[in-house]
Amino acid sequence: MNTTRPTVLVAMFAVALGNLLVVPSAACADAGRGPARHFDLVNATLDSVIALAIAPADRDAFQDIDLGQPLQGGLSSMTFDVPAGGCLRDLRVTFHGERTQLFPHIDVCRSSGLRLTLHGGKPKHSGA
């Protein structure tokens, strides 16, 4: 009687079972993050935006958003992915000439963007 064949089959079964257990774990980890949330920034001011950063509301943990190039004044826009986290965020905008403006408590779950105007900023509600 050959005992090698049953041992090989048991080993193959163990490897296959191990692969089935690992894949769902990775899929569950990705599913918990959810899809990236996109946010639009429209610059309707006269100044170019040279830097942009976002943080959880009321915290000084700002993460820089890569603009690639300055967002020109007049009427230009860009879209960026909001880093993972809660809905309420603070957005820090730096204009040409180093003038900085803070837009606190923006609900990125209910708003799809922010329009910068000469008189401040106005959130654009999702679906609008």
Side-chain angles (χ1 to χ4, degrees):
M1 180 175 206
N2 188 351
T3 58
T4 307
R5 186 160 174 82
T7 305
V8 170
L9 289 175
V10 169
M12 289 173 50
F13 178 73
V15 169
L17 183 60
N19 287 339
L20 289 174
L21 294 175
V22 171
V23 172
S25 298
C28 290
D30 287 340
R33 278 183 246 161
R37 198 174 289 130
H38 303 292
F39 199 78
D40 300 319
L41 182 68
V42 177
N43 186 5
T45 70
L46 300 177
D47 295 324
S48 295
V49 173
I50 60 169
L52 178 65
I54 190 167
D58 300 322
R59 297 199 37 220
D60 198 29
F62 282 94
Q63 289 182 297
D64 291 330
I65 302 296
D66 182 20
L67 295 177
Q69 61 186 16
L71 186 60
Q72 298 299 312
L75 190 59
S76 57
S77 65
M78 55 105 46
T79 301
F80 64 92
D81 291 337
V82 176
C87 291
L88 286 182
R89 303 297 180 96
D90 292 344
L91 198 64
R92 185 177 63 204
V93 178
T94 305
F95 293 94
H96 179 75
E98 301 299 321
R99 179 175 59 91
T100 301
Q101 189 165 0
L102 182 67
F103 298 92
H105 299 121
I106 296 174
D107 188 337
V108 296
C109 296
R110 292 188 178 186
S111 299
S112 60
L114 179 69
R115 182 182 180 96
L116 303 173
T117 66
L118 294 174
H119 305 290
K122 180 181 177 186
K124 179 179 135 190
H125 294 285
S126 296

